[in-house]
Amino acid sequence: MTGYRQLLRTPEFTPLLISSAAHTAAQTVAGLALGTLVHRATGSPLLSAVSMFGPSLAQVLGATFLLSGADRLPPRTTLAGLSLAFATVTAVLAVPGLPVAAVLAVVLAQGMIAALGGGVRWGLLNEILPKDGYLPGRSVFNMMGGLMQISGYALGGLLVTALSPHAVLLLAALLHATASATAHLGLTARPPRAFGRPSAAETRRVNAVLWSSRPRRLVYLGLWLPNGLVVGCEALFVSYDPGAAGTLFACGALGMLAGDLAVGRLLPPAVRTRLATPLLLLLATPYTFFALRPPLSVAALCATLASVGFGASLVQQERLMALTPAGLSGHALGLHSAGMLTLQGVSAVAAGAVAQVTSPATAMAVMAAASITVTVTLAAASRRSPGGLPAAVPQSGQPEPR
């Protein structure tokens, strides 16, 4: 599968793409509205960052207790039901006068169920597309996500100023409802990819099996840590420059779009497999310049250039799929998504805490330096790894062959 037209002609790809686009747009405008709402109420960089990225923190709970459902629940029903739940929760957040503590509790609950949604969505994408179609297909989804974030942050910033954060949250609830309807009407009723009932015990068992392979473990760490630390920088955009936060977020989304297009469509396989580490270094390095408090034009350029490095995740995901049996693709991709978002949430809190005692500019430089250090360390560890394909993942109760 070589072209985007072939992808769009693949049955169920377009409805899944549209549903995911509405979901991403809803999360984008809701996150900006919540961050602005909490910042106005508290003036705290830490609470503002937690309100925007706190749902990511709860992904670890979803990955621990719910993720076995990614391959054991019917995809259409699950995606439609989760989007409807998001619509309900977001409408609750739009209630005026909701205490900040209640807001944080609601968004954390929202983040927990999001872990299951990521596993179901990406497992279904891997099922819909042929083996050579996952990377270009995921590239299209990432580019769509970039476009939705650009539009969402730009439009959301205008609407938050012109109307109110509460009105923007109602718009986000409507977008989530649209995602639910699209998934229900556009996707085929497929059976689960794996047998058995979802359970916390099964989730932990498969997590342990996936984590036990050194090559997979290094790929997971590369997907989670450098990316998460840099999102800690982005979590401080509101407190760094409240009036220009939407611009900085939109520029970051534009850079991510460019990186995904280059990696997913323009670069040949022989080249892109060698670019994971350079792209991760690019992801962090421009944020070190924020310590100098550059003018908005330079800051926007740094955010754009850095986000090109997010294209590294496509290379890493392709490697992860090569290391994972097809029957566990949803669980493996869900673990990637949940772990990545959890580390993003942890990093947002850490960045907010550092900014609380120093400044947002200093905290951004600190998080960027940490990301660079982790990337170099993981690259050295990967060179020492045998890197062979692991044996098949066993069924419940059997040890993994070595």
Side-chain angles (χ1 to χ4, degrees):
M1 182 167 289
T2 58
Y4 289 153
R5 289 184 179 179
Q6 290 176 275
L7 289 171
L8 295 174
R9 287 197 295 265
T10 302
E12 297 185 80
F13 180 84
T14 299
L16 184 61
L17 179 67
I18 294 172
S19 176
S20 183
H23 179 80
T24 301
Q27 287 188 310
T28 300
V29 296
L32 183 58
L34 277 177
T36 304
L37 195 65
V38 173
H39 189 266
R40 288 178 183 177
T42 66
S44 168
L46 174 59
L47 292 178
S48 177
V50 171
S51 66
M52 291 189 69
F53 294 92
S56 301
L57 282 171
Q59 293 269 342
V60 67
L61 298 176
T64 302
F65 298 108
L66 304 177
L67 203 50
S68 62
D71 293 303
R72 292 170 172 81
L73 293 173
R76 184 181 72 172
T77 302
T78 305
L79 289 175
L82 288 174
S83 291
L84 192 58
F86 269 91
T88 304
V89 169
T90 306
V92 170
L93 291 172
V95 175
L98 200 65
V100 172
V103 169
L104 297 180
V106 170
V107 298
L108 289 175
Q110 189 180 44
M112 182 175 176
I113 63 173
L116 175 60
V120 174
R121 182 177 295 108
W122 306 130
L124 178 59
L125 178 65
N126 192 57
E127 185 178 359
I128 288 172
L129 297 176
K131 186 175 182 180
D132 64 344
Y134 178 79
L135 187 139
R138 188 63 189 263
S139 170
V140 171
F141 271 75
N142 287 359
M143 288 189 292
M144 173 277 302
L147 288 172
M148 290 300 101
Q149 289 180 11
I150 293 171
S151 304
Y153 283 127
L155 181 60
L158 292 174
L159 290 176
V160 163
T161 302
L163 300 174
S164 71
H166 299 95
V168 176
L169 286 169
L170 288 176
L171 172 63
L174 180 61
L175 288 170
H176 278 305
T178 302
S180 176
T182 303
H184 180 74
L185 297 174
L187 298 177
T188 300
R190 292 169 174 261
R193 285 179 293 276
F195 297 105
R197 296 179 60 183
S199 68
E202 185 66 10
T203 297
R204 290 192 297 269
R205 185 194 73 82
V206 180
N207 284 347
V209 170
L210 291 171
W211 188 251
S212 66
S213 164
R214 176 179 170 84
R216 275 198 300 262
R217 187 162 61 245
L218 289 173
V219 174
Y220 273 126
L221 291 174
L223 281 162
W224 294 346
L225 292 172
N227 175 309
L229 290 164
V230 167
V231 170
C233 301
E234 296 181 340
L236 296 174
F237 282 165
V238 171
S239 52
Y240 177 81
D241 190 341
T247 298
L248 292 174
F249 278 121
C251 288
L254 177 63
M256 184 174 67
L257 173 65
D260 286 329
L261 177 61
V263 173
R265 187 73 177 95
L266 303 180
L267 297 178
V271 174
R272 68 175 179 244
T273 54
R274 299 193 296 267
L275 288 182
T277 297
L279 285 170
L280 289 175
L281 292 174
L282 175 63
L283 181 62
T285 301
Y287 282 108
T288 61
F289 293 98
F290 275 76
L292 304 176
R293 290 205 59 89
L296 178 59
S297 58
V298 177
L301 178 62
C302 287
T304 304
L305 183 62
S307 294
V308 173
F310 280 118
S313 68
L314 290 175
V315 181
Q316 295 166 307
Q317 288 174 58
E318 187 175 41
R319 172 67 173 160
L320 178 62
M321 286 295 92
L323 293 168
T324 303
L328 291 180
S329 62
H331 195 123
L333 291 168
L335 183 60
H336 143 56
S337 179
M340 178 186 68
L341 291 170
T342 297
L343 265 295
Q344 289 177 1
V346 170
S347 298
V349 173
V354 175
Q356 198 81 20
V357 298
T358 58
S359 70
T362 299
M364 292 165 82
V366 169
M367 301 302 288
S371 179
I372 292 170
T373 302
V374 169
T375 295
V376 172
T377 302
L378 289 175
S382 295
R383 284 194 292 270
R384 296 193 297 268
S385 173
L389 295 177
V393 175
Q395 297 300 312
S396 180
Q398 300 176 348
E400 184 178 23
R402 298 187 182 277

